[in-house]
C-alpha cells in the first residue's frame, strides 16, 4: 500500500466518522429519541430535542461579542477547508499511473487493453526469475500513450549488473514491448535501479 493510498483512506475514514456522528446527532434530535426512550444526554450535549438549533441566539451573541475579527476568521477558516477539500478532489482525478495500456499500439486493436498492474506483475515475475536476480519490483506510471516503467532489481551477491541488465532488456522488457508496442512506438521508457539483496548472516555451529 502506497503512502498516497494510506493518506486517502485515512482522510476518507475521518470524513466518514465526522459525517456519521453529525448525521446520528441530527437524527436522534429530529426523532426525539432521548425523550421517547428516557435517555439522558451528557451535559451540554447539542441537539437533544426537535426544536433545538445548533447555534442559538445566546450563543451567536456571545461569539459576536468576541470582537470584529471573529466572523471574518470563521469565514476564512471555512474557505480554507473548502479549498483543501477541492484540492484533494482534484488530486484524486489526476492519475499517476496509466490504468490500462493499449495492446498493439494506440488505438488498441479491437478495443483490447491491458491493465497496468497486470503488466507490472508479469514483468516483475519474469525479471525475478532471471539469473543473478533475487527479486524485482515494477511500477508503471504516466499516461497510456507514454508509459514509464520503473524497475528495481535486487541482485544476489553473485549477480553481475551488466548481465542482469542485458537479460532484463532481452527478456521481460522485450516481451512487454511486444505486448503493448507497435511499429510507431517501438519501446517503453524504462528506469532501472539495481541493488544487492541483503541476507541474514547464518549461524555456524
Amino acid at each position: 500500500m502506497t503512502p498516497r493510498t494510506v493518506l486517502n483512506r485515512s482522510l476518507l475514514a475521518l470524513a466518514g466518522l465526522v459525517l456519521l456522528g453529525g448525521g446520528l446527532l441530527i437524527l436522534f434530535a429530529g426523532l426525539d429519541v432521548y425523550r421517547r426512550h428516557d435517555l439522558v444526554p451528557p451535559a451540554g450535549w447539542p441537539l437533544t430535542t426537535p426544536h433545538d438549533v445548533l447555534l442559538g441566539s445566546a450563543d451567536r451573541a456571545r461569539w459576536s461579542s468576541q470582537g470584529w475579527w471573529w466572523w471574518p476568521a470563521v469565514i476564512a477558516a471555512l474557505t480554507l477547508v473548502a479549498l483543501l477539500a477541492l484540492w484533494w478532489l482534484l488530486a484524486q482525478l489526476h492519475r499517476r499511473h496509466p490504468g490500462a495500456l493499449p495492446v498493439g499500439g494506440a488505438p488498441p486493436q479491437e478495443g483490447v487493453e491491458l491493465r497496468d498492474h497486470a503488466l507490472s506483475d508479469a514483468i516483475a515475475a519474469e525479471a525475478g526469475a532471471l539469473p543473478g536476480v533475487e527479486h524485482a519490483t515494477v511500477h508503471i506510471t504516466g499516461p497510456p500513450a507514454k508509459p514509464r516503467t520503473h524497475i528495481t532489481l535486487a541482485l544476489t551477491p553473485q549477480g553481475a549488473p551488466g548481465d542482469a541488465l542485458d537479460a532484463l532488456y532481452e527478456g521481460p522488457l522485450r516481451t512487454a514491448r511486444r505486448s503493448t508496442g507497435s511499429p510507431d512506438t517501438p519501446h517503453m521508457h524504462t528506469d532501472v535501479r539495481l541493488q544487492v539483496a541483503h541476507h541474514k548472516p547464518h549461524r555456524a555451529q
Side-chain angles (χ1 to χ4, degrees):
M1 187 179 296
T2 63
R4 184 183 183 186
T5 303
V6 174
L7 176 62
N8 288 343
R9 292 185 178 182
S10 300
L11 291 176
L12 285 175
L14 180 61
L17 290 175
V18 171
L19 293 176
L20 178 62
L24 290 176
L25 189 68
I26 296 174
L27 181 64
F28 282 15
L31 298 178
D32 203 9
V33 172
Y34 301 105
R35 184 185 61 81
R36 291 183 178 182
H37 297 278
D38 296 327
L39 299 177
V40 180
W45 195 257
L47 301 179
T48 58
T49 67
H51 304 290
D52 285 346
V53 294
L54 187 61
L55 194 63
S57 300
D59 293 328
R60 292 196 301 269
R62 180 166 58 89
W63 289 116
S64 299
S65 64
Q66 299 295 324
W68 64 269
W69 55 269
W70 171 249
W71 289 113
V74 171
I75 295 174
L78 295 176
T79 302
L80 179 61
V81 171
L83 291 176
L84 288 176
L86 179 61
W87 169 81
W88 180 54
L89 176 61
L90 293 177
Q92 307 314 305
L93 298 177
H94 178 67
R95 306 186 66 171
R96 298 187 179 183
H97 57 89
L101 298 171
V103 176
Q109 295 181 355
E110 299 181 358
V112 180
E113 293 181 333
L114 178 64
R115 300 296 299 177
D116 60 333
H117 292 299
L119 181 61
S120 61
D121 291 343
I123 297 175
E126 191 174 352
L130 294 176
V133 177
E134 179 79 12
H135 60 83
T137 57
V138 180
H139 299 284
I140 300 178
T141 61
K146 295 181 179 180
R148 179 174 292 273
T149 307
H150 304 271
I151 303 176
T152 300
L153 295 181
L155 304 180
T156 62
Q158 296 78 23
D163 295 340
L165 289 176
D166 291 340
L168 177 67
Y169 180 81
E170 296 297 332
L173 293 183
R174 186 179 295 275
T175 302
R177 287 195 299 272
R178 283 201 307 266
S179 301
T180 61
S182 68
D184 297 329
T185 57
H187 66 277
M188 297 174 61
H189 295 285
T190 305
D191 299 323
V192 181
R193 178 183 178 186
L194 301 178
Q195 62 185 24
V196 178
H198 298 286
H199 296 274
K200 295 182 178 180
H202 297 281
R203 181 178 179 181
Q205 295 183 350

